[in-house]
Amino acid sequence: MAYTTAQLLEILDQELKAAWRGERVLLSTDRRLDNPVISKALGSDKVSKVFAFQDFRAQIHQYQNEHSVSGIVWHECRFKSRTIRFPEIHQQLTAIPEDKLALIGAKTEVIDFWRASIDGLRLWRAGNPPEPVSLARVNTLIKQAEWAEVDATRSELYLILCWGNPKECYYTWAYPESGCERIIAAVAEPSGIKV
């Protein structure tokens, strides 16, 4: 019987703690980091801890794929008087093919929650600086996205519209094959929190 997602997360947590306590050692880390300045600044002990955990996490990802263990956890978002619970890929796990289908399947519910929550708020496209965006433009972005996520502070609601690889979509280097458009709904200008 395969480990569950929760069990894998517990194993990863234990391994991370063990690595930071110095109980995991990776020899020859100097060959793993191409930048000698960063390697020297961090020291071989810290570099060893990072690579030891990365290697272990790669084994967990391989296990997930071999045994079809989902990388999905459930995220709860509250904004105003509304609450939604939707799937997302845990940052330490990988997505198996079925996970992307679950993300896609939750898109309509996430978008409905977002639309019901933005009354009276102005829309901004995240960037530096954020720029105002029309609801019509956001609707176009919604149609283009494969799945959606939301997050919130007390006064701002963030809509994240994603496509491509669920583990790469948050990184700019993955664009255009994978990516995310981020929309901020706020009373006035966004607070500057990075989404």
Side-chain angles (χ1 to χ4, degrees):
M1 186 167 154
Y3 289 106
T4 66
T5 302
Q7 289 170 325
L8 290 181
L9 287 172
E10 187 176 320
I11 291 167
L12 277 166
D13 184 56
Q14 291 170 1
E15 187 65 20
L16 179 61
K17 288 175 182 173
W20 286 113
R21 285 191 307 263
E23 296 171 6
R24 306 294 184 263
V25 178
L26 189 62
L27 302 175
S28 68
T29 56
D30 55 332
R31 287 187 238 141
R32 305 277 300 269
L33 193 59
D34 289 339
N35 190 323
V37 175
I38 293 175
S39 183
K40 187 170 181 142
L42 291 175
S44 62
D45 183 49
K46 287 182 183 172
V47 172
S48 173
K49 291 174 184 178
V50 168
F51 283 115
F53 182 72
Q54 281 185 343
D55 287 354
F56 186 80
R57 185 174 54 196
Q59 291 175 24
I60 293 290
H61 292 176
Q62 182 179 348
Y63 181 89
Q64 281 182 261
N65 286 311
E66 288 173 1
H67 297 279
S68 296
V69 180
S70 175
I72 285 181
V73 293
W74 289 86
H75 179 78
E76 187 172 275
C77 179
R78 292 185 184 128
F79 189 70
K80 298 182 179 176
S81 62
R82 292 180 177 83
T83 302
I84 186 172
R85 199 167 171 261
F86 61 93
E88 68 179 9
I89 304 300
H90 190 279
Q91 62 188 4
Q92 296 294 348
L93 297 176
T94 195
I96 61 173
E98 294 83 3
D99 290 345
K100 186 170 179 181
L101 296 175
L103 298 174
I104 292 168
K107 178 182 174 183
T108 301
E109 187 178 358
V110 171
I111 297 301
D112 290 347
F113 172 85
W114 180 80
R115 285 191 170 124
S117 302
I118 62 167
D119 191 39
L121 301 177
R122 294 172 58 194
L123 303 179
W124 302 81
R125 195 170 186 176
N128 194 10
E131 58 185 61
V133 64
S134 70
L135 182 57
R137 177 66 181 133
V138 174
N139 285 332
T140 300
L141 295 172
I142 288 170
K143 287 178 188 170
Q144 294 170 348
E146 290 184 271
W147 72 93
E149 301 172 357
V150 286
D151 213 344
T153 63
R154 285 187 184 175
S155 60
E156 296 179 349
L157 183 61
Y158 310 104
L159 176 65
I160 302 101
L161 301 167
C162 307
W163 67 91
N165 183 329
K167 284 306 285 184
E168 296 177 353
C169 65
Y170 305 108
Y171 303 107
T172 54
W173 57 261
Y175 188 84
E177 289 80 20
S178 300
C180 289
E181 288 285 348
R182 293 164 174 87
I183 306 300
I184 306 165
V187 173
E189 287 194 28
S191 64
I193 293 174
K194 187 173 173 137
V195 290

